Amino acid sequence: MKHNETISLLLNRKSVRKFQETVPDLETIEAIVRAGQQAPFASQLYSVVYQSGGKYAFQAPLWFLICADIHKLRLFMKRRGWEIVTNGVTLLLFAIQDASFMAENMVIAAESLGLGSCFLGECSTNANRMRALVKKHHLPKGVFPVVELVMGFPAEEYPPRPRYPLDFTLFKDRYPELTEEGLTQAMAQMDDGYRAQGYYKNQNIKVKTPGREDTMSFDEYGWTEHISRKWGQWEPSPDKLLEVLKEQGFAFSEEDE
Amino acid sequence: MKHNETISLLLNRKSVRKFQETVPDLETIEAIVRAGQQAPFASQLYSVVYQSGGKYAFQAPLWFLICADIHKLRLFMKRRGWEIVTNGVTLLLFAIQDASFMAENMVIAAESLGLGSCFLGECSTNANRMRALVKKHHLPKGVFPVVELVMGFPAEEYPPRPRYPLDFTLFKDRYPELTEEGLTQAMAQMDDGYRAQGYYKNQNIKVKTPGREDTMSFDEYGWTEHISRKWGQWEPSPDKLLEVLKEQGFAFSEEDE
């Protein structure tokens, strides 16, 4: 496989959950966000709010909220004598992509400056968290939180986490029928990989299963079990999230507009 | 502002729309996608389909379709005795993010290998395009196209495109009231920047405005006008996109499930 310094940086990245106390300076923050801005975008449908010098998730000294933003779009369109007519689903799809491209560039820029980071996706499943972020940071209509990102100088070191085999990810010409054997291999690569790193055992993390007996030991518990317990129990109703998204100006039916 | 090789790479990236004929080899393709996989993810809710050796958009010799994918999740959850109960909005939010983080890493990895690329977002606004991609590439239920990405060795060279001023993007603690002056500056930075590069004039690109008289010359036409004409005219109804998303297993109301 081809290698160079950037590819090594990308392949060695891992999410960091233990940080030194040193607060990254403004020059560093600005370099990271400027690099984020230069990602390819549909229409720069993003904004970033940050806080530094406190203790954020995992005691990180720096926190970003990467937002989808059509507020700025609406403002300059008004100046030019236009208004947004595009439907809320298209706006949502493009705005999440723009925000995510920027967020990933920020992760890579940070990594290159010796900083570690960790995404926090809670606001995509917990409508209360999404609304609290909207209120606390005064996000206007047209703006909603896509993902939180904490950052700082790492106080832990470990190898990159496992990923699916490439042949379970990259398909030529068409999406294939996935075989039982391919599935077995992909699950094993994830589960054995996480267990070899002692990931769940060392942190004593297991997703609880209220109403189901849980007799699984950490010798058995792996990535596929952990992920299954999340998606098998997380919020069944979209209603609360749709309500916040609608409040923020992303309506999914024509009568909502 | 802090600099290093990676940050220069990120800051100098630009979308490429003219390519050499050379077809990148499989080793290169695999390096790019492996680097993509190592992005931080909620649950690896992605897949990539590719085609090479033909002539794709902008005559590029290599084409990727980056997909949101909960099909693989569903398969391994079934093996583990679980089924997905999480609502379609949460699935959509996380899956687009996972696919986008991977896509942006692929763009950066490609750039580091001397390849240029360009995202094609049509499937997020054109439901027919989304459905055609689903059919042509046999995407199963649980998988939908997020963004197309063409790639190849560049046959054009120009400076990076303008972006909003940093103070119109990065906000401390809270989203501010945006001032008229700040808006004027941000619009000028984008419009003057694109005009200085002759971007629209050289390509003779203007978004048509059926039903509105268009007397604007290329000396006036800039980024904010171009973008306004898109969002001011694109598809008002979400219905067709919601229909395809629902067919692919992302339902937005409980009765749809």
Side-chain angles (χ1 to χ4, degrees), chain A residues 68 87-97 144 245 250 252, chain B residues 92-93 96 252:
Chain A
N87 71 85
V89 175
T90 292
L91 285 165
L92 183 89
L93 295 174
F94 277 122
I96 298 176
Q97 287 175 54
F144 74 89
L245 289 171
F250 292 79
F252 287 179
Chain B
L92 184 88
L93 294 175
I96 297 177
F252 287 177

Side-chain angles (χ1 to χ4, degrees), chain B residues 23-245:
Chain B
V23 182
D25 60 18
L26 184 61
E27 201 192 1
T28 302
I29 295 170
E30 291 188 347
I32 289 167
V33 180
R34 266 300 291 126
Q37 284 189 281
Q38 220 59 39
F41 292 120
S43 303
Q44 299 191 81
L45 305 177
Y46 59 71
S47 280
V48 178
V49 177
Y50 80 99
Q51 295 198 305
S52 72
K55 296 273 188 192
Y56 310 100
F58 307 119
Q59 304 293 302
L62 176 57
W63 173 90
F64 295 98
L65 182 63
I66 294 106
C67 300
D69 188 338
I70 58 165
H71 175 61
K72 293 187 288 196
L73 174 70
R74 184 172 285 127
L75 289 179
F76 79 66
M77 284 180 68
K78 194 175 168 193
R79 276 273 185 98
R80 301 212 66 90
W82 289 91
E83 58 183 55
I84 298 173
V85 306
T86 307
N87 72 87
V89 175
T90 292
L91 285 164
L92 184 88
L93 294 175
F94 277 122
I96 297 177
Q97 288 175 56
D98 277 8
S100 302
F101 298 151
M102 154 162 269
E104 183 56 17
N105 258 19
M106 287 173 61
V107 166
I108 301 309
E111 194 80 13
S112 79
L113 294 167
L115 291 159
S117 66
C118 189
F119 279 135
L120 305 165
E122 191 189 349
C123 61
S124 294
T125 183
N126 179 346
N128 293 336
R129 179 71 184 164
M130 193 186 271
R131 188 178 275 117
L133 290 167
V134 166
K135 292 226 150 80
K136 180 172 179 189
H137 302 287
H138 301 259
L139 306 185
K141 192 167 176 173
V143 182
F144 74 87
V146 172
V147 69
E148 297 173 72
L149 177 63
V150 291
M151 219 175 253
F153 295 97
E156 59 176 358
E157 179 55 44
Y158 54 83
R161 301 301 182 197
R163 292 292 188 262
Y164 285 144
L166 193 59
D167 65 9
F168 198 68
T169 299
L170 176 65
F171 306 127
K172 189 161 176 17
D173 297 323
R174 59 157 287 182
Y175 199 106
E177 298 282 339
L178 299 174
T179 63
E180 291 297 317
E181 193 191 339
L183 180 61
T184 302
Q185 280 172 3
M187 290 175 73
Q189 181 158 321
M190 290 306 298
D191 290 336
D192 296 347
Y194 267 86
R195 275 193 292 257
Q197 294 189 9
Y199 182 77
Y200 301 106
K201 190 175 188 174
N202 295 346
Q203 298 179 87
N204 196 29
I205 305 176
K206 257 198 229 178
V207 177
K208 294 210 168 75
T209 57
R212 273 197 192 211
E213 198 185 5
D214 180 11
T215 55
M216 198 172 284
S217 73
F218 278 117
D219 295 336
E220 296 173 85
Y221 193 89
W223 183 81
T224 60
E225 178 67 19
H226 188 72
I227 296 295
S228 294
R229 291 179 177 198
K230 289 185 174 178
W231 296 102
Q233 300 183 106
W234 267 344
E235 190 54 41
S237 167
D239 295 351
K240 286 184 189 170
L241 276 169
L242 286 173
E243 199 179 294
V244 188
L245 289 171

Side-chain angles (χ1 to χ4, degrees), chain A residues 1-2 4-7 10-11 13 27-28 30-31 34 37-40 43-44 46-51 69 71-73 76-77 79-87 89-91 93-94 96-97 100-101 104-105 108 112-113 119 121 124-125 137-138 140 146-147 161 163-164 166 168-175 180 184 187 190 212 223-225 227-229 231-239 241-242 252 254, chain B residues 1-2 4-7 10-11 13 27-28 30-31 34 37-40 43-44 46-51 69 71-73 76-77 79-87 89-91 93-94 96-97 100-101 104-105 108 112-113 119 121 124-125 137-138 140 146-147 161 163-164 166 168-175 180 184 187 190 212 223-225 227-229 231-239 241-242 252 254:
Chain A
M1 211 168 70
K2 300 221 172 169
N4 61 35
E5 207 180 305
T6 304
I7 289 183
L10 295 169
L11 289 174
R13 187 216 59 81
E27 201 191 2
T28 301
E30 291 189 346
R34 265 300 291 126
Q37 284 190 281
Q38 220 60 39
S43 303
Q44 297 192 82
Y46 58 72
S47 281
V48 178
V49 177
Y50 81 100
Q51 295 198 304
D69 187 338
H71 175 60
K72 295 187 286 196
L73 174 70
F76 78 66
M77 284 180 68
R79 277 271 186 101
R80 302 211 64 91
W82 288 92
E83 58 182 55
I84 298 174
V85 305
T86 307
N87 71 85
V89 175
T90 292
L91 285 165
L93 295 174
F94 277 122
I96 298 176
Q97 287 175 54
S100 302
F101 298 152
E104 182 57 17
N105 259 19
I108 301 309
S112 79
L113 293 168
F119 280 134
S124 294
T125 184
H137 302 287
H138 301 260
V146 172
V147 69
R161 301 301 182 198
R163 290 293 186 262
Y164 285 143
L166 194 58
F168 198 67
T169 299
L170 176 65
F171 306 126
K172 190 162 175 15
D173 297 323
R174 57 156 289 180
Y175 199 107
E180 291 298 316
T184 302
M187 291 174 72
M190 290 305 300
R212 277 198 189 207
W223 183 82
T224 60
E225 178 67 20
I227 296 296
S228 294
R229 291 179 177 199
W231 297 102
Q233 299 183 107
W234 267 344
E235 190 53 42
S237 167
D239 294 352
L241 276 170
L242 286 174
F252 287 179
E254 283 172 276
Chain B
M1 211 169 71
K2 300 223 171 166
N4 61 34
E5 206 181 307
T6 303
I7 288 184
L10 296 169
L11 289 174
R13 187 218 58 83
E27 201 192 1
T28 302
E30 291 188 347
R34 266 300 291 126
Q37 284 189 281
Q38 220 59 39
S43 303
Q44 299 191 81
Y46 59 71
S47 280
V48 178
V49 177
Y50 80 99
Q51 295 198 305
D69 188 338
H71 175 61
K72 293 187 288 196
L73 174 70
F76 79 66
M77 284 180 68
R79 276 273 185 98
R80 301 212 66 90
W82 289 91
E83 58 183 55
I84 298 173
V85 306
T86 307
N87 72 87
V89 175
T90 292
L91 285 164
L93 294 175
F94 277 122
I96 297 177
Q97 288 175 56
S100 302
F101 298 151
E104 183 56 17
N105 258 19
I108 301 309
S112 79
L113 294 167
F119 279 135
S124 294
T125 183
H137 302 287
H138 301 259
V146 172
V147 69
R161 301 301 182 197
R163 292 292 188 262
Y164 285 144
L166 193 59
F168 198 68
T169 299
L170 176 65
F171 306 127
K172 189 161 176 17
D173 297 323
R174 59 157 287 182
Y175 199 106
E180 291 297 317
T184 302
M187 290 175 73
M190 290 306 298
R212 273 197 192 211
W223 183 81
T224 60
E225 178 67 19
I227 296 295
S228 294
R229 291 179 177 198
W231 296 102
Q233 300 183 106
W234 267 344
E235 190 54 41
S237 167
D239 295 351
L241 276 169
L242 286 173
F252 287 177
E254 284 174 273

